[in-house]
Amino acid sequence: MAVIGAGLAGLTAARGIVAAGRSVAVLEARDRVGGRTLDARLSDDEVAEMGGQWIGPGHDRIAKLAASLGVETFPTYNDGDAVIVIAGQHLRYTGDHPALEHSVRADLEQAIHSFEALAGQIDLEHPWESPEAEALDAETFDAWLRHNVRTDTAREIFGRSVDGAIAVTASELSLLGALVFIRTTQDFGTMVGVDGGAQQDRFVGGSGRLAHLLAQALGDAVRLGSPVRRVEGPATTARVLADGVSIEAERVIVAVPPTLAAEIEYEPQLPALLDGLLQRMPGGSVIKANVVYDEPFWRLEGLSGQAFDPSLPVAWTMDNSPPAGRPGVLAAFFEARAARRFAAASVADRRRVTLECLSRFFGPRAEKPVRYLEVDWSAEEWTRGCYFGQRIPGAWTRFGRSLREPFGRIHWAGAETAVMWNGYMEGAVSSGERAAAEALQALEG
């Protein structure tokens, strides 16, 4: 069999194929494995994650995979106060909610409750068959916010929280798409939470270790620097054509972001619905920075490193220090509109803007890091955006039913194809397991 893409989805699929006694070739366009996970080395022993990194309760498949590879987890630093800046007011708080004005807090809680109730009606296996699916897919998330959230402050907090998790603006996202995302992450609190939430834990040595260990076990089956250009799938076997490589395979698993999958030439041509879906799933816009300090000075001041100001280009931060706590690292994010705005800026300018934002959260010490690291995921040739490919308004109901459906000898994997934890590392792993099981069953049948 052939697997296209050596991210977590593709490598997990390849692992399942080998475990079933079949041979596999994994073709990866980059000169590295890991896909949307990537670690930057801080020292011989410590790294900072530049891509996907957090797991939490419900991320059972990736937790099991990590344990089988001998990769341990450690809790995301969550001691002390978080910071939120709203309408110029700088607030420190502990727990799940800041001390907002009563009217704002009541409005925010009501909005979340209403949204989660609506999300509870979504059929995750078949979102296009959910009640009022076409109407939900025609309305934008931004329109729902304007019609259902009374105060500007609550609207900004709720909207930017969801925007940040998906990395597209509320006006680019259909209401159905937003509901599917909240439903796939269980609820709003889980989506944004640390303890008990999706950001609860990290991997010792970085999330990139998982892909490297998977690839190491696969050995020569993984071929780097081999972008796939064409897949031919006649009745007997399929042929996968990459730069300098031609492979005959009984089954093919495509495990790359939808934007990249759409650029592969297929013979026979993909069905119109499937082709249309791939064209309507652009990646979000994210520039992720890790700002490194000699020590996590914010901890000494009783702060957790978590900060949020929806008005800033860098709207939120997390403590991303290694398990031992040194050096101190703050993860900072340009997302959606801000990421696109600053994509054309120089690294020096983005560094300056990032430090200005961090100083507003954490004071003047934040302006004096020892290192600044960043990745613009939209500028990555073999990624084209993060955190995952999001369907534009209308795509779910018009084209969504083709999601996950095999085409001839081709099967589909990737975080976007997961039912639960769609867009997360957990979703990538579960999709790889599903695609491998489908391909193997097809061969046995």
Side-chain angles (χ1 to χ4, degrees):
M1 294 195 209
V3 175
I4 303 173
L8 284 175
L11 292 171
T12 299
R15 186 186 200 227
I17 292 167
V18 170
R22 300 277 184 170
S23 62
V24 68
V26 181
L27 301 175
E28 169 56 50
R30 299 177 180 85
D31 60 1
R32 64 171 181 85
V33 299
R36 288 171 277 193
T37 62
L38 174 64
D39 298 333
R41 191 149 296 282
L42 301 176
S43 67
D44 290 342
D45 301 318
E46 305 293 1
V47 302
E49 302 95 330
M50 305 304 300
Q53 65 175 93
W54 289 292
I55 69 167
H59 294 193
D60 301 328
R61 288 179 171 85
I62 192 169
K64 183 178 179 181
L65 172 65
S68 72
L69 296 171
V71 178
E72 299 179 344
T73 61
F74 68 103
T76 301
Y77 188 80
N78 197 33
D79 295 339
D81 295 341
V83 172
I84 186 170
V85 182
I86 294 295
Q89 187 178 10
H90 192 283
L91 302 173
R92 293 175 57 150
Y93 69 97
T94 56
D96 295 333
H97 301 289
L100 301 171
E101 293 181 13
H102 176 73
S103 60
V104 173
R105 180 164 182 169
D107 191 24
L108 181 60
E109 290 177 349
Q110 176 58 38
I112 293 172
H113 175 77
S114 298
F115 197 78
E116 289 180 345
L118 197 56
Q121 302 175 33
I122 299 300
D123 180 344
L124 277 183
E125 288 275 358
H126 314 96
W128 52 91
E129 295 181 359
S130 302
E132 304 297 327
E134 289 195 10
L136 296 174
D137 208 20
E139 182 178 357
T140 66
F141 178 46
D142 179 64
W144 185 90
L145 289 170
R146 287 187 280 106
H147 294 151
N148 292 274
V149 189
R150 293 180 296 104
T151 62
D152 291 342
T153 300
R155 190 180 307 117
E156 192 170 38
I157 293 172
F158 189 21
R160 285 302 300 271
S161 296
V162 178
D163 290 358
I166 302 178
V168 300
T169 63
S171 60
E172 298 170 296
L173 179 65
S174 79
L175 177 55
L176 179 61
L179 293 168
V180 169
F181 183 71
I182 289 291
R183 183 87 165 82
T184 194
T185 59
Q186 299 182 9
D187 53 44
F188 182 82
T190 301
M191 180 191 76
V192 301
V194 179
D195 293 345
Q199 287 70 231
Q200 177 174 282
D201 296 305
R202 297 166 56 196
F203 292 109
V204 176
S207 54
R209 285 185 65 200
L210 302 179
H212 284 284
L213 290 170
L214 286 169
Q216 183 178 4
L218 292 167
D220 293 339
V222 180
R223 305 187 189 191
L224 302 179
S226 302
V228 172
R229 308 298 184 179
R230 180 178 171 89
V231 177
E232 300 172 352
T236 52
T237 61
R239 185 195 301 179
V240 181
L241 301 172
D243 288 0
V245 180
S246 176
I247 293 175
E248 300 287 332
E250 295 175 292
R251 292 278 157 174
V252 178
I253 295 175
V254 178
V256 297
T259 299
L260 300 180
E263 292 186 352
I264 298 172
E265 182 181 1
Y266 300 91
E267 177 59 42
Q269 183 176 324
L270 295 180
L273 281 180
L274 177 55
D275 183 57
L277 179 64
L278 293 178
Q279 293 182 45
R280 289 164 174 80
M281 293 181 66
S285 301
V286 180
I287 303 171
K288 182 177 181 179
N290 277 286
V291 188
V292 186
Y293 302 88
D294 288 327
E295 62 180 359
F297 63 87
W298 53 93
R299 297 185 184 183
L300 304 177
E301 298 169 10
L303 296 172
S304 67
Q306 297 164 41
F308 178 67
D309 182 346
S311 71
L312 294 181
V314 174
W316 69 284
T317 69
M318 293 280 287
D319 186 317
N320 209 31
S321 307
R326 286 177 181 266
V329 183
L330 287 170
F333 301 82
F334 294 86
E335 293 169 321
R337 184 179 289 109
R340 292 194 289 268
R341 174 186 169 193
F342 285 94
S346 66
V347 174
D349 283 343
R350 286 196 293 267
R351 179 184 185 277
R352 174 183 53 78
V353 171
T354 300
L355 298 185
E356 288 174 355
C357 294
L358 295 185
S359 68
R360 292 185 62 175
F361 291 136
F362 305 111
R365 289 191 66 179
E367 297 179 351
K368 300 177 180 179
V370 296
R371 291 181 71 185
Y372 174 85
L373 308 165
E374 70 164 33
V375 173
D376 179 353
W377 284 98
S378 295
E380 290 286 301
E381 180 182 7
W382 301 112
T383 305
R384 308 283 184 84
C386 275
Y387 301 102
F388 62 107
Q390 185 55 245
R391 298 147 192 86
I392 66 173
W396 262 125
T397 50
R398 296 173 189 171
F399 302 94
R401 65 189 67 252
S402 62
L403 181 70
R404 294 187 296 270
E405 287 187 0
F407 171 60
R409 294 181 175 274
I410 302 173
H411 303 262
W412 308 95
E416 291 84 357
T417 69
V419 175
M420 287 300 298
W421 299 106
N422 187 294
Y424 287 75
M425 293 187 294
E426 168 70 11
V429 171
S430 68
S431 77
E433 293 176 348
R434 172 194 49 77
E438 283 178 0
L440 290 165
Q441 184 177 17
L443 287 180
E444 294 170 0

mmCIF file of all heavy atoms in Angstrom, residues 183-219:
data_model
loop_
_atom_site.group_PDB
_atom_site.id
_atom_site.type_symbol
_atom_site.label_atom_id
_atom_site.label_comp_id
_atom_site.label_asym_id
_atom_site.label_seq_id
_atom_site.Cartn_x
_atom_site.Cartn_y
_atom_site.Cartn_z
ATOM 1 N N ARG A 183 -19.072 21.035 18.812
ATOM 2 C CA ARG A 183 -19.570 19.685 19.126
ATOM 3 C C ARG A 183 -18.447 18.665 19.101
ATOM 4 O O ARG A 183 -18.390 17.775 19.945
ATOM 5 C CB ARG A 183 -20.632 19.311 18.091
ATOM 6 C CG ARG A 183 -21.300 17.974 18.321
ATOM 7 C CD ARG A 183 -22.487 18.104 19.241
ATOM 8 N NE ARG A 183 -23.287 16.902 19.159
ATOM 9 C CZ ARG A 183 -23.030 15.769 19.832
ATOM 10 N NH1 ARG A 183 -22.000 15.700 20.642
ATOM 11 N NH2 ARG A 183 -23.819 14.726 19.692
ATOM 12 N N THR A 184 -17.520 18.795 18.139
ATOM 13 C CA THR A 184 -16.442 17.816 18.027
ATOM 14 C C THR A 184 -15.431 17.957 19.162
ATOM 15 O O THR A 184 -14.700 17.029 19.470
ATOM 16 C CB THR A 184 -15.741 17.940 16.660
ATOM 17 O OG1 THR A 184 -14.929 16.788 16.431
ATOM 18 C CG2 THR A 184 -14.834 19.149 16.585
ATOM 19 N N THR A 185 -15.387 19.147 19.803
ATOM 20 C CA THR A 185 -14.503 19.347 20.949
ATOM 21 C C THR A 185 -15.238 19.184 22.272
ATOM 22 O O THR A 185 -14.703 19.519 23.318
ATOM 23 C CB THR A 185 -13.864 20.747 20.914
ATOM 24 O OG1 THR A 185 -14.886 21.739 20.918
ATOM 25 C CG2 THR A 185 -13.009 20.934 19.684
ATOM 26 N N GLN A 186 -16.474 18.711 22.232
ATOM 27 C CA GLN A 186 -17.348 18.440 23.370
ATOM 28 C C GLN A 186 -18.152 19.665 23.792
ATOM 29 O O GLN A 186 -19.366 19.638 23.816
ATOM 30 C CB GLN A 186 -16.569 17.847 24.557
ATOM 31 C CG GLN A 186 -15.915 16.525 24.216
ATOM 32 C CD GLN A 186 -15.172 15.895 25.385
ATOM 33 O OE1 GLN A 186 -15.259 16.347 26.526
ATOM 34 N NE2 GLN A 186 -14.435 14.851 25.099
ATOM 35 N N ASP A 187 -17.465 20.767 24.151
ATOM 36 C CA ASP A 187 -18.183 21.984 24.528
ATOM 37 C C ASP A 187 -17.189 23.145 24.572
ATOM 38 O O ASP A 187 -15.978 22.958 24.413
ATOM 39 C CB ASP A 187 -18.902 21.827 25.879
ATOM 40 C CG ASP A 187 -17.989 21.349 26.998
ATOM 41 O OD1 ASP A 187 -16.855 21.867 27.112
ATOM 42 O OD2 ASP A 187 -18.389 20.456 27.754
ATOM 43 N N PHE A 188 -17.708 24.352 24.796
ATOM 44 C CA PHE A 188 -16.880 25.548 24.779
ATOM 45 C C PHE A 188 -15.808 25.502 25.863
ATOM 46 O O PHE A 188 -14.640 25.827 25.612
ATOM 47 C CB PHE A 188 -17.766 26.787 24.971
ATOM 48 C CG PHE A 188 -17.010 28.088 24.924
ATOM 49 C CD1 PHE A 188 -16.688 28.672 23.708
ATOM 50 C CD2 PHE A 188 -16.621 28.716 26.091
ATOM 51 C CE1 PHE A 188 -15.984 29.876 23.662
ATOM 52 C CE2 PHE A 188 -15.927 29.920 26.057
ATOM 53 C CZ PHE A 188 -15.610 30.497 24.844
ATOM 54 N N GLY A 189 -16.194 25.091 27.078
ATOM 55 C CA GLY A 189 -15.234 25.050 28.174
ATOM 56 C C GLY A 189 -14.080 24.102 27.897
ATOM 57 O O GLY A 189 -12.929 24.413 28.217
ATOM 58 N N THR A 190 -14.371 22.963 27.298
ATOM 59 C CA THR A 190 -13.311 22.018 26.958
ATOM 60 C C THR A 190 -12.405 22.596 25.884
ATOM 61 O O THR A 190 -11.188 22.446 25.936
ATOM 62 C CB THR A 190 -13.920 20.692 26.475
ATOM 63 O OG1 THR A 190 -14.751 20.152 27.503
ATOM 64 C CG2 THR A 190 -12.833 19.686 26.145
ATOM 65 N N MET A 191 -12.988 23.285 24.916
ATOM 66 C CA MET A 191 -12.212 23.853 23.816
ATOM 67 C C MET A 191 -11.163 24.840 24.333
ATOM 68 O O MET A 191 -10.015 24.826 23.885
ATOM 69 C CB MET A 191 -13.137 24.545 22.823
ATOM 70 C CG MET A 191 -12.422 25.166 21.637
ATOM 71 S SD MET A 191 -13.491 26.236 20.654
ATOM 72 C CE MET A 191 -13.572 27.699 21.705
ATOM 73 N N VAL A 192 -11.551 25.699 25.264
ATOM 74 C CA VAL A 192 -10.635 26.756 25.718
ATOM 75 C C VAL A 192 -9.899 26.394 27.001
ATOM 76 O O VAL A 192 -8.974 27.104 27.408
ATOM 77 C CB VAL A 192 -11.398 28.086 25.941
ATOM 78 C CG1 VAL A 192 -12.066 28.532 24.658
ATOM 79 C CG2 VAL A 192 -12.418 27.967 27.075
ATOM 80 N N GLY A 193 -10.268 25.269 27.657
ATOM 81 C CA GLY A 193 -9.760 24.979 28.987
ATOM 82 C C GLY A 193 -8.387 24.346 29.016
ATOM 83 O O GLY A 193 -7.912 23.762 28.042
ATOM 84 N N VAL A 194 -7.756 24.445 30.180
ATOM 85 C CA VAL A 194 -6.477 23.787 30.441
ATOM 86 C C VAL A 194 -6.739 22.563 31.310
ATOM 87 O O VAL A 194 -6.848 21.450 30.797
ATOM 88 C CB VAL A 194 -5.470 24.759 31.097
ATOM 89 C CG1 VAL A 194 -4.146 24.047 31.395
ATOM 90 C CG2 VAL A 194 -5.215 25.945 30.161
ATOM 91 N N ASP A 195 -6.865 22.709 32.608
ATOM 92 C CA ASP A 195 -7.201 21.566 33.457
ATOM 93 C C ASP A 195 -8.578 21.041 33.069
ATOM 94 O O ASP A 195 -9.581 21.755 33.164
ATOM 95 C CB ASP A 195 -7.204 21.971 34.929
ATOM 96 C CG ASP A 195 -5.815 22.340 35.436
ATOM 97 O OD1 ASP A 195 -4.829 22.019 34.748
ATOM 98 O OD2 ASP A 195 -5.714 22.967 36.510
ATOM 99 N N GLY A 196 -8.638 19.788 32.624
ATOM 100 C CA GLY A 196 -9.890 19.222 32.154
ATOM 101 C C GLY A 196 -10.261 19.638 30.746
ATOM 102 O O GLY A 196 -11.327 19.263 30.257
ATOM 103 N N GLY A 197 -9.391 20.405 30.087
ATOM 104 C CA GLY A 197 -9.694 20.897 28.749
ATOM 105 C C GLY A 197 -8.716 20.402 27.709
ATOM 106 O O GLY A 197 -7.813 19.594 27.983
ATOM 107 N N ALA A 198 -8.864 20.920 26.495
ATOM 108 C CA ALA A 198 -8.075 20.445 25.360
ATOM 109 C C ALA A 198 -6.612 20.835 25.445
ATOM 110 O O ALA A 198 -5.787 20.313 24.692
ATOM 111 C CB ALA A 198 -8.673 20.972 24.059
ATOM 112 N N GLN A 199 -6.263 21.763 26.342
ATOM 113 C CA GLN A 199 -4.875 22.201 26.515
ATOM 114 C C GLN A 199 -4.268 21.654 27.804
ATOM 115 O O GLN A 199 -3.298 22.206 28.331
ATOM 116 C CB GLN A 199 -4.796 23.727 26.512
ATOM 117 C CG GLN A 199 -4.991 24.380 25.167
ATOM 118 C CD GLN A 199 -6.410 24.282 24.635
ATOM 119 O OE1 GLN A 199 -6.629 23.879 23.503
ATOM 120 N NE2 GLN A 199 -7.383 24.640 25.455
ATOM 121 N N GLN A 200 -4.775 20.562 28.314
ATOM 122 C CA GLN A 200 -4.381 20.090 29.640
ATOM 123 C C GLN A 200 -2.932 19.604 29.703
ATOM 124 O O GLN A 200 -2.217 19.881 30.667
ATOM 125 C CB GLN A 200 -5.312 18.958 30.081
ATOM 126 C CG GLN A 200 -4.930 18.341 31.423
ATOM 127 C CD GLN A 200 -5.947 17.323 31.884
ATOM 128 O OE1 GLN A 200 -6.997 17.694 32.380
ATOM 129 N NE2 GLN A 200 -5.637 16.038 31.707
ATOM 130 N N ASP A 201 -2.484 18.866 28.698
ATOM 131 C CA ASP A 201 -1.183 18.199 28.776
ATOM 132 C C ASP A 201 -0.340 18.443 27.535
ATOM 133 O O ASP A 201 -0.854 18.761 26.457
ATOM 134 C CB ASP A 201 -1.369 16.688 28.973
ATOM 135 C CG ASP A 201 -2.043 16.351 30.290
ATOM 136 O OD1 ASP A 201 -1.533 16.781 31.337
ATOM 137 O OD2 ASP A 201 -3.089 15.677 30.248
ATOM 138 N N ARG A 202 0.959 18.234 27.717
ATOM 139 C CA ARG A 202 1.931 18.314 26.625
ATOM 140 C C ARG A 202 2.805 17.062 26.647
ATOM 141 O O ARG A 202 2.811 16.324 27.635
ATOM 142 C CB ARG A 202 2.795 19.566 26.778
ATOM 143 C CG ARG A 202 2.024 20.861 26.679
ATOM 144 C CD ARG A 202 2.837 22.036 27.173
ATOM 145 N NE ARG A 202 4.113 22.141 26.456
ATOM 146 C CZ ARG A 202 5.134 22.882 26.893
ATOM 147 N NH1 ARG A 202 5.062 23.546 28.034
ATOM 148 N NH2 ARG A 202 6.249 22.930 26.173
ATOM 149 N N PHE A 203 3.548 16.861 25.567
ATOM 150 C CA PHE A 203 4.419 15.688 25.473
ATOM 151 C C PHE A 203 5.837 16.047 25.881
ATOM 152 O O PHE A 203 6.392 17.059 25.434
ATOM 153 C CB PHE A 203 4.419 15.135 24.053
ATOM 154 C CG PHE A 203 3.109 14.527 23.641
ATOM 155 C CD1 PHE A 203 2.297 15.148 22.700
ATOM 156 C CD2 PHE A 203 2.690 13.337 24.204
ATOM 157 C CE1 PHE A 203 1.093 14.599 22.327
ATOM 158 C CE2 PHE A 203 1.477 12.768 23.840
ATOM 159 C CZ PHE A 203 0.676 13.411 22.904
ATOM 160 N N VAL A 204 6.409 15.228 26.721
ATOM 161 C CA VAL A 204 7.801 15.411 27.121
ATOM 162 C C VAL A 204 8.683 15.256 25.886
ATOM 163 O O VAL A 204 8.601 14.259 25.173
ATOM 164 C CB VAL A 204 8.211 14.390 28.205
ATOM 165 C CG1 VAL A 204 9.701 14.526 28.534
ATOM 166 C CG2 VAL A 204 7.363 14.578 29.464
ATOM 167 N N GLY A 205 9.511 16.263 25.626
ATOM 168 C CA GLY A 205 10.350 16.223 24.439
ATOM 169 C C GLY A 205 9.681 16.742 23.194
ATOM 170 O O GLY A 205 10.294 16.780 22.121
ATOM 171 N N GLY A 206 8.406 17.181 23.304
ATOM 172 C CA GLY A 206 7.709 17.772 22.178
ATOM 173 C C GLY A 206 6.814 16.810 21.425
ATOM 174 O O GLY A 206 7.077 15.605 21.355
ATOM 175 N N SER A 207 5.745 17.335 20.866
ATOM 176 C CA SER A 207 4.799 16.503 20.121
ATOM 177 C C SER A 207 5.421 15.925 18.856
ATOM 178 O O SER A 207 4.993 14.879 18.356
ATOM 179 C CB SER A 207 3.563 17.328 19.753
ATOM 180 O OG SER A 207 3.940 18.517 19.065
ATOM 181 N N GLY A 208 6.450 16.567 18.324
ATOM 182 C CA GLY A 208 7.118 16.054 17.133
ATOM 183 C C GLY A 208 7.779 14.708 17.342
ATOM 184 O O GLY A 208 8.054 13.991 16.364
ATOM 185 N N ARG A 209 8.040 14.349 18.594
ATOM 186 C CA ARG A 209 8.651 13.039 18.880
ATOM 187 C C ARG A 209 7.793 11.892 18.365
ATOM 188 O O ARG A 209 8.326 10.852 17.939
ATOM 189 C CB ARG A 209 8.861 12.857 20.384
ATOM 190 C CG ARG A 209 10.005 13.632 20.988
ATOM 191 C CD ARG A 209 10.168 13.266 22.456
ATOM 192 N NE ARG A 209 10.573 11.867 22.630
ATOM 193 C CZ ARG A 209 10.418 11.192 23.778
ATOM 194 N NH1 ARG A 209 9.839 11.772 24.810
ATOM 195 N NH2 ARG A 209 10.844 9.953 23.866
ATOM 196 N N LEU A 210 6.478 12.054 18.422
ATOM 197 C CA LEU A 210 5.598 10.956 18.012
ATOM 198 C C LEU A 210 5.847 10.585 16.558
ATOM 199 O O LEU A 210 6.008 9.411 16.223
ATOM 200 C CB LEU A 210 4.136 11.358 18.213
ATOM 201 C CG LEU A 210 3.709 11.750 19.631
ATOM 202 C CD1 LEU A 210 2.243 12.147 19.639
ATOM 203 C CD2 LEU A 210 3.952 10.599 20.597
ATOM 204 N N ALA A 211 5.864 11.587 15.685
ATOM 205 C CA ALA A 211 6.091 11.314 14.271
ATOM 206 C C ALA A 211 7.474 10.734 14.024
ATOM 207 O O ALA A 211 7.642 9.812 13.218
ATOM 208 C CB ALA A 211 5.895 12.597 13.457
ATOM 209 N N HIS A 212 8.467 11.265 14.705
ATOM 210 C CA HIS A 212 9.832 10.763 14.500
ATOM 211 C C HIS A 212 9.955 9.297 14.926
ATOM 212 O O HIS A 212 10.606 8.498 14.243
ATOM 213 C CB HIS A 212 10.828 11.635 15.257
ATOM 214 C CG HIS A 212 11.089 12.953 14.591
ATOM 215 N ND1 HIS A 212 11.887 13.079 13.481
ATOM 216 C CD2 HIS A 212 10.629 14.195 14.864
ATOM 217 C CE1 HIS A 212 11.930 14.340 13.095
ATOM 218 N NE2 HIS A 212 11.172 15.040 13.919
ATOM 219 N N LEU A 213 9.331 8.943 16.030
ATOM 220 C CA LEU A 213 9.402 7.555 16.486
ATOM 221 C C LEU A 213 8.609 6.628 15.572
ATOM 222 O O LEU A 213 9.034 5.498 15.302
ATOM 223 C CB LEU A 213 8.899 7.460 17.927
ATOM 224 C CG LEU A 213 9.819 8.102 18.977
ATOM 225 C CD1 LEU A 213 9.126 8.180 20.334
ATOM 226 C CD2 LEU A 213 11.129 7.318 19.093
ATOM 227 N N LEU A 214 7.460 7.095 15.094
ATOM 228 C CA LEU A 214 6.695 6.298 14.136
ATOM 229 C C LEU A 214 7.502 6.069 12.863
ATOM 230 O O LEU A 214 7.561 4.953 12.336
ATOM 231 C CB LEU A 214 5.380 7.000 13.804
ATOM 232 C CG LEU A 214 4.288 6.983 14.878
ATOM 233 C CD1 LEU A 214 3.171 7.948 14.506
ATOM 234 C CD2 LEU A 214 3.733 5.573 15.067
ATOM 235 N N ALA A 215 8.122 7.129 12.365
ATOM 236 C CA ALA A 215 8.913 7.014 11.135
ATOM 237 C C ALA A 215 10.134 6.131 11.340
ATOM 238 O O ALA A 215 10.518 5.359 10.453
ATOM 239 C CB ALA A 215 9.334 8.409 10.665
ATOM 240 N N GLN A 216 10.745 6.248 12.506
ATOM 241 C CA GLN A 216 11.915 5.419 12.795
ATOM 242 C C GLN A 216 11.550 3.941 12.736
ATOM 243 O O GLN A 216 12.304 3.113 12.190
ATOM 244 C CB GLN A 216 12.463 5.779 14.176
ATOM 245 C CG GLN A 216 13.733 5.039 14.554
ATOM 246 C CD GLN A 216 14.243 5.472 15.916
ATOM 247 O OE1 GLN A 216 13.628 6.258 16.614
ATOM 248 N NE2 GLN A 216 15.399 4.937 16.294
ATOM 249 N N ALA A 217 10.388 3.590 13.280
ATOM 250 C CA ALA A 217 9.953 2.188 13.260
ATOM 251 C C ALA A 217 9.644 1.716 11.840
ATOM 252 O O ALA A 217 9.835 0.540 11.513
ATOM 253 C CB ALA A 217 8.721 2.019 14.151
ATOM 254 N N LEU A 218 9.201 2.630 10.978
ATOM 255 C CA LEU A 218 8.883 2.266 9.594
ATOM 256 C C LEU A 218 10.125 2.177 8.712
ATOM 257 O O LEU A 218 10.093 1.562 7.648
ATOM 258 C CB LEU A 218 7.898 3.276 9.009
ATOM 259 C CG LEU A 218 6.488 3.254 9.609
ATOM 260 C CD1 LEU A 218 5.710 4.491 9.188
ATOM 261 C CD2 LEU A 218 5.748 1.985 9.187
ATOM 262 N N GLY A 219 11.195 2.819 9.135
ATOM 263 C CA GLY A 219 12.470 2.708 8.442
ATOM 264 C C GLY A 219 12.433 3.245 7.016
ATOM 265 O O GLY A 219 11.911 4.320 6.742
#
